[in-house]
Amino acid sequence: MGTSKPTGDTATAIAVLSGATVLGGVALALRQPRAPANDTRASLLPWVERSKAPAVPPLDSKATVRAARRLNRAAGTIAASVLVDSAIEHYRGAFHNEAMVTPLISASLSLLASVHGTADDRRGAHVARDLVYAAAGLTGLVGTGFHIYNISRKPGGFSWQNLFYSAPLGAPAAISLSGMLGFLSERLRNNTTDSRPTILGRPAGRVIGLMTSLGLMGTVGEAGLLHFRGAYHNPAMYLPVTMPPIAAALLGASALGEAGRRKPLTRWWLRFTALLGFVGSGFHIIGVARNMGGWRNWKQNLLDGPPIPAPPSFTGLALAGLAALGLLEDHPDD
Amino acid sequence: MSDPLAAPRAIQGRAPDVFREGGWVEMREFSESEAVDFVVIGTGAGGGPLITRLAEQGFSVVGFDAGPYFRPLEDFASDETAQNQLYWLDERIVDGENPIRMGGNNSGKAVGGSTVHFAMVSLRFRPEWFKSRSLLGYGADWPLDWREMWDYYGKAERALSISGPVTYPWGPKRPRYPYRAHEMNGAAEVLARGAEAMGYKWSPTPLATVSAPRGDSPPCVYRGFCRFGCSTNAKQSQLVAFIPRALAAGAEIRDLAMVGRIETGADGRATGVHYFREGRWRFQRARNVVVAGYAIETPRLLLNSANDRYPDGLANSSGLVGRNLMTQSNQAVYGSMKDEVRWNKGPPSLSITEHWNYDDRKDFFGGYCWMAQGPLPIEWVTVLTGSLGLWGEQLRERMKNYNHQVGVKMVGEMLPNENNRVTLADETDQYGLRIPRITYSWGDNDKALVAHALDKMQTSMELAGVRDTFQQVDDTNHLAGTARMGSDPRSSVVNADCRSWDIPNLWVCDGSIFPTTGGVNPSLTISAIALRTADRIKALADRGEL
Ligand SMILES: Cc1cc2nc3c(=O)[nH]c(=O)nc-3n(C[C@H](O)[C@H](O)[C@H](O)COP(=O)(O)OP(=O)(O)OC[C@H]3O[C@@H](n4cnc5c(N)ncnc54)[C@H](O)[C@@H]3O)c2cc1C
Ligand code: SF4
């Protein structure tokens, strides 16, 4: 019996998940970090700056391609999240507008391109991937435009009510993010062997870091809006509006600050943010159970409960952030 | 599954766990021969919070309700007719020029009271209404200060996890509602378009059903059976939001327990209550008695408790027990839309305009609001036959268009009038108790208010593109009055603490203490006052003034 706190299975599930999260965090923290090529001193205390001296820049094209592949992986994670999420949401909306299949196609293609890219260790941009990613970016922009138009037609216009319940602004933006990361990955691959990687003439690590940081903030905005709609009824709902903004700030600072330095705090914060994406799905699974009929009524509650596939967007962005951080750490550009 | 109406469920040290099928929770039981600190008669909007807070403050409390102890997950059918079990349908006589139709529209009979089937609209009074006599020139002043009420409204809203808009467009600033407003359905959007066309503000309605999980309550599933008992527990009725708390704090609830008479002793104080349960009359001794049976049953019980010492009934030295009964005008304008509306989806009143509660440019007293509507099919047939006289083939055709229907319904303030009253008839009911006679006539002001509202609602609907509009001109709903509070024993029954002037250990804590009824639904105000009363009782007890 609970009028303010859940009891029974739900309470147990929340406790188990919270416990598992803490354990996961501890396991992650105790893990022997993979030492960068030029730094063999591993630290168990990630928050302690290990090295004051700038690392030696390896100018290694393998590292550049590795970063590009990581970006493909990040783009793919987000695409997968968008694919499943928009499939569920637009199924819920009964695909009443034909355009509602577009994000499914675009996210599927982006996912395929990303899988391909993740496996591809060649340099040089791939035309098909490039096209797919560019299309994803565009789809997201057009989708956002559509959703904005839908809101503007509702009584009340851009009111909280319509931001909560009309077509969400953040969802199409996520497919843009996937496209953007993939597109950046292709640009990265276009760098010649011995130079410091650049994108549009700017240091690649900085560009990717900054864009990812902005992407994180956008995603925080979306999670914040929807969790506000849910009245933050579970304290864990504050996590995605507190952890990722710090990750975004740290990453942003790294992207704008001095390159070629180890940033253990930023790295760890990004890793936890990546973990948070999956933990979020876990909480959403419990959230679905808290709807009428719980998982026995999954057909309805998968649609009406919190979106299980959405939180891994944070994982995707954090992975991109880590890729950017790798580039920043390896390439002092001044 | 047992029949909730056949035998009491809250017995032998346990009561139904409303959140689990077949589950039970422990319940403390008090002996009849030992006086408990408080007996509370009625467990609804007033009784529920009062029982809870008294128990939580350490008093021994027994709550009585004539109605059954429902298990929402099991007992509530998605069936308009089956759910008649929720209403107080005992025999009553109605007369006057505008007899009030009694039953589903205005009185519940269940643990949780009328809130088990109420429509969950949870609104605050306009502050001036607490002083409508001195500030607005009609009715009577309340002995309460609106600022203090603002605090208690906040407490009631938190206790009920009201889901409301981020900012409410009327009245003084209020804290943010604990939960966000619900998504609006098609009918609510039509109201919004109509209001915008009239230049009025509108808002999603603050509702007592959760838009996100709360404790063991799942979020609302928008099936729209709210007024027939919510079978998910999303609805924060007193049965779900308060009574479990009361039990956990050590209160006892006695269901299917009809209180027939309050006993007074040689010193004139109340000594306990006679009640009918499990086939026989019993007596529970008590140090204090609180009546919370709503505007008909409260005066009826006070009048039925007349004895040699109090020949006109208890707490009735002013002669006002049963007088100043008020209902609220509940007229509607309906019509059809070209597009599907599906107005039955979700709680019935998802949007509201309180414009005419706050705009005083009108030539009558009082205010009103109107809300989106979503009557279920049987209720809708009743409206079509009653208001349009449709029958047979015509009715069938119109019913086919159910998903295109739309409408708005008002809640309007009726003025207190001493001649609108509850008295005792000579007939008796199944318990052998004299039944109430309810006399009601609308005044000129009431009629002017209704005419104004119908006109404005009609215009707004037409501006929103509603076709084939028609008016439902004769409906009423919520009740209030009959044991009004005040600051003078000659012109009121209870004081600001809901304590009767005549008998210091007899209290009234429900909708009957309203001196005026305002232009909004009453339950949140009733619950806020109950929370205040519990605090006042504690303060008085601490000072030794009980
Ligand atoms: C269909 C409907 C919809 C409504 N919608 C809204 C709404 O949306 N918003 C709103 O604010 N209000 C609404 N109301 C009104 C609201 O429910 C009532 O104003 C409120 O519940 C009254 O509170 P109360 O404590 O005075 O009485 P109630 O809640 O009616 O509780 C009284 C209880 O006392 C019991 N009782 C009475 N006499 C005795 C006795 N002698 N012995 C034992 N038990 C007794 C009854 O069984 C009942 O359970 C609605 C009412 C109805 C009927
Ligand atoms: S619409 Fe919501 S509040 Fe109404 S009965 Fe259904 S779940 Fe309960």
Side-chain angles (χ1 to χ4, degrees), chain B residues 246-270:
Chain B
L247 294 174
E252 181 185 345
I253 300 293
R254 294 197 191 143
D255 55 335
L256 298 180
M258 174 72 180
V259 175
R261 206 156 67 82
I262 299 165
E263 194 62 62
T264 58
D267 56 358
R269 290 170 67 96

Side-chain angles (χ1 to χ4, degrees), chain A residues 1-8 92 153-157 160-161 164-165 228-231 233 287 290-292 300, chain B residues 19-20 25 166 176 178-184 189 193 196 202 204 212-216 218-219 232 240 244-245:
Chain A
M1 179 186 72
T3 55
S4 55
K5 287 204 177 72
T7 56
R92 182 169 186 234
R153 280 191 323 169
K154 291 235 163 200
W160 283 110
Q161 191 70 7
F164 289 154
Y165 295 112
F228 179 47
R229 182 179 91 184
H233 66 267
R290 293 186 73 181
N291 280 258
M292 185 60 192
Q300 186 174 344
Chain B
F19 293 110
R20 260 169 272 288
V25 292
V166 177
R176 177 164 299 153
Y179 278 56
R180 301 294 82 78
H182 292 271
E183 184 171 3
M184 303 203 318
E189 273 191 32
R193 290 188 194 285
E196 282 180 2
W202 61 272
R214 179 204 192 197
D216 289 335
T232 69
V240 167
R245 269 175 65 183

Side-chain angles (χ1 to χ4, degrees), chain B residues 120 209 220-226 230-232 234-235 346-347:
Chain B
M120 313 176 297
T209 172
C220 175
V221 299
Y222 306 113
R223 276 182 67 243
F225 275 87
C226 324
C230 171
S231 60
T232 69
K235 176 182 193 168

Side-chain angles (χ1 to χ4, degrees), chain B residues 95-356:
Chain B
D95 59 13
E97 277 168 48
N98 306 88
I100 301 177
R101 191 159 54 88
M102 296 299 300
N105 233 12
N106 45 34
S107 19
K109 188 183 198 178
V111 173
S114 305
T115 69
V116 175
H117 73 286
F118 82 149
M120 313 176 297
V121 175
S122 301
L123 302 174
R124 297 181 177 205
F125 263 38
R126 175 179 165 181
E128 286 87 338
W129 292 343
F130 290 105
K131 294 282 175 284
S132 41
R133 163 62 49 201
S134 29
L135 294 179
L136 301 167
Y138 68 91
D141 284 352
W142 294 55
L144 297 171
D145 183 79
W146 77 269
R147 278 163 298 234
E148 191 187 10
M149 283 303 294
W150 233 235
D151 284 345
Y152 280 102
Y153 276 127
K155 288 181 178 153
E157 283 162 356
R158 282 194 296 281
L160 296 166
S161 280
I162 303 297
S163 299
V166 177
T167 45
Y168 195 69
W170 302 277
K173 204 169 144 37
R174 55 184 74 180
R176 177 164 299 153
Y177 286 103
Y179 278 56
R180 301 294 82 78
H182 292 271
E183 184 171 3
M184 303 203 318
N185 63 7
E189 273 191 32
V190 172
L191 178 144
R193 290 188 194 285
E196 282 180 2
M198 303 279 285
Y200 299 168
K201 293 181 216 158
W202 61 272
S203 168
T205 312
L207 294 175
T209 172
V210 284
S211 56
R214 179 204 192 197
D216 289 335
S217 287
C220 175
V221 299
Y222 306 113
R223 276 182 67 243
F225 275 87
C226 324
R227 280 177 307 145
F228 306 91
C230 171
S231 60
T232 69
N233 285 328
K235 176 182 193 168
Q236 301 295 298
S237 68
Q238 316 304 60
L239 175 62
V240 167
F242 276 109
I243 301 297
R245 269 175 65 183
L247 294 174
E252 181 185 345
I253 300 293
R254 294 197 191 143
D255 55 335
L256 298 180
M258 174 72 180
V259 175
R261 206 156 67 82
I262 299 165
E263 194 62 62
T264 58
D267 56 358
R269 290 170 67 96
T271 55
V273 295
H274 297 276
Y275 70 104
F276 189 85
R277 198 186 196 205
E278 293 186 284
R280 64 184 181 86
W281 284 99
R282 302 150 177 270
F283 185 70
Q284 173 68 50
R285 284 162 49 76
R287 279 184 278 277
N288 289 276
V289 172
V290 187
V291 192
Y294 208 12
I296 307 298
E297 293 305 316
T298 288
R300 177 191 180 203
L301 179 59
L302 294 174
L303 296 174
N304 261 332
S305 300
N307 54 28
D308 291 345
R309 166 103 190 221
Y310 301 108
D312 298 326
L314 305 187
N316 199 16
S317 65
S318 62
L320 287 174
V321 168
R323 289 197 185 266
N324 293 306
L325 173 68
M326 290 164 282
T327 180
Q328 288 182 308
S329 26
N330 195 210
Q331 281 69 7
V333 173
Y334 294 111
S336 325
M337 292 293 276
K338 191 159 90 0
D339 297 329
E340 267 199 355
V341 178
R342 302 175 77 86
W343 62 354
N344 59 315
K345 293 290 165 200
S349 308
L350 283 161
S351 64
I352 181 171
T353 177
E354 272 207 64
H355 179 85
W356 289 107

Side-chain angles (χ1 to χ4, degrees), chain A residues 71-167:
Chain A
L71 281 181
N72 287 122
R73 186 172 63 178
T77 310
I78 299 178
S81 160
V82 172
L83 175 61
V84 185
D85 196 34
S86 66
I88 294 180
E89 286 298 323
H90 287 185
Y91 170 71
R92 182 169 186 234
F95 291 97
H96 69 81
N97 179 336
E98 279 156 29
M100 287 163 85
V101 293
T102 339
L104 297 191
I105 298 170
S106 181
S108 305
L109 290 175
S110 182
L111 180 58
L112 285 177
S114 302
V115 170
H116 184 260
T118 310
D120 182 1
D121 55 9
R122 287 166 303 176
R123 294 192 306 110
H126 187 285
V127 184
R129 287 205 304 260
D130 242 348
L131 283 176
V132 166
Y133 284 135
L138 209 64
T139 308
L141 286 182
V142 174
T144 309
F146 256 121
H147 286 194
I148 289 180
Y149 170 68
N150 274 338
I151 290 183
S152 70
R153 280 191 323 169
K154 291 235 163 200
F158 288 90
S159 58
W160 283 110
Q161 191 70 7
N162 289 335
L163 289 177
F164 289 154
Y165 295 112
S166 296

Side-chain angles (χ1 to χ4, degrees), chain A residues 243-264:
Chain A
M243 277 187 63
I246 296 175
L250 288 171
L251 182 62
S254 303
L256 296 174
E258 198 187 340
R261 284 186 169 282
R262 300 281 133 213
K263 300 280 183 167

